[in-house]
Amino acid sequence: RNDIKVIFTGQLEDYRNPQYIAELKSIINEHGTEQNIRILGLIPRKEQLSLIRKSIAVIQPSLFEGWSTIVEDAKSMHKNIILSDIDVHLEQNVENGIYFQKENYMELAEIMEKVWDGVISFPDSNYNYKEKAKEYGNILPMFWKDIYTRTNK
């Protein structure tokens, strides 16, 4: 399918597997999907947010990760997201997300194609970023006051 475009952003070097990007590019070439994939590497935040805004969905296929800021960005922008079912992603409670089994690339590909074709759609999101920020803003002063009180007894 030549009409689907997937854009990769992020660090292109990883000391744990220095050959990773070369291997990825080799797989892309072997499968003839060069016209579908762009690997941009690290890009300025402003450009990243622009790509998110213009996308059909954000894909976060991580096998392991801390709290994912890209997931939070997508939530705050009411952007649909396809993400692996790792615990931290489930914990982030993405209302407008579709989860796939973390190592099941065939399931991910099927979801991507069905989303592109409009066969499946994302749940609606009622996530209100400003409301959540205000809620956390009210919690933090109480949290810090409690810590201060306990450490200064």
Side-chain angles (χ1 to χ4, degrees):
R1 297 209 36 183
N2 292 334
D3 57 338
I4 296 176
K5 303 292 184 218
V6 179
I7 299 172
F8 291 79
T9 63
Q11 187 64 258
L12 295 181
E13 294 88 28
D14 185 345
Y15 70 90
R16 297 167 295 190
N17 185 356
Q19 297 303 312
Y20 178 73
I21 295 299
E23 291 169 6
L24 181 61
K25 288 178 179 178
S26 176
I27 292 168
I28 291 166
N29 291 333
E30 284 174 27
H31 293 285
T33 55
E34 303 92 338
Q35 71 278 1
N36 302 93
I37 297 172
R38 299 289 178 269
I39 300 175
L40 302 182
L42 288 176
I43 61 173
R45 176 118 171 100
K46 187 175 179 180
E47 291 178 26
Q48 182 188 42
L49 294 175
S50 180
L51 285 172
I52 292 170
R53 274 188 205 92
K54 304 235 184 245
S55 70
I56 290 173
V58 171
I59 302 169
Q60 177 51 297
S62 185
L63 297 177
F64 57 92
E65 182 149 347
W67 197 264
S68 176
T69 56
I70 194 71
V71 171
E72 294 302 318
D73 287 339
K75 284 170 54 176
S76 71
M77 297 167 73
H78 296 277
K79 184 52 68 174
N80 297 324
I81 186 164
I82 301 169
L83 58 171
S84 58
D85 64 353
I86 62 174
D87 288 344
V88 72
H89 289 163
L90 296 171
E91 203 176 305
Q92 285 184 272
N93 192 28
V94 180
E95 294 174 354
N96 54 324
I98 297 174
Y99 294 91
F100 66 94
Q101 294 172 22
K102 66 182 176 186
E103 294 192 32
N104 190 338
Y105 65 90
M106 293 301 292
E107 182 184 14
L108 172 57
E110 185 178 316
I111 289 169
M112 289 170 62
E113 188 169 31
K114 287 180 177 180
V115 165
W116 183 260
D117 290 339
V119 175
I120 59 174
S121 57
F122 292 86
D124 289 332
S125 170
N126 294 318
Y127 187 83
N128 185 321
Y129 184 76
K130 288 182 180 176
E131 191 176 288
K132 288 294 181 188
K134 185 188 278 187
E135 179 183 316
Y136 294 134
N138 290 333
I139 292 170
L140 281 175
M142 292 185 301
F143 172 75
W144 289 116
K145 181 179 178 187
D146 185 47
I147 288 176
Y148 180 79
T149 304
R150 282 189 274 154
T151 56
N152 290 309
K153 285 186 175 183

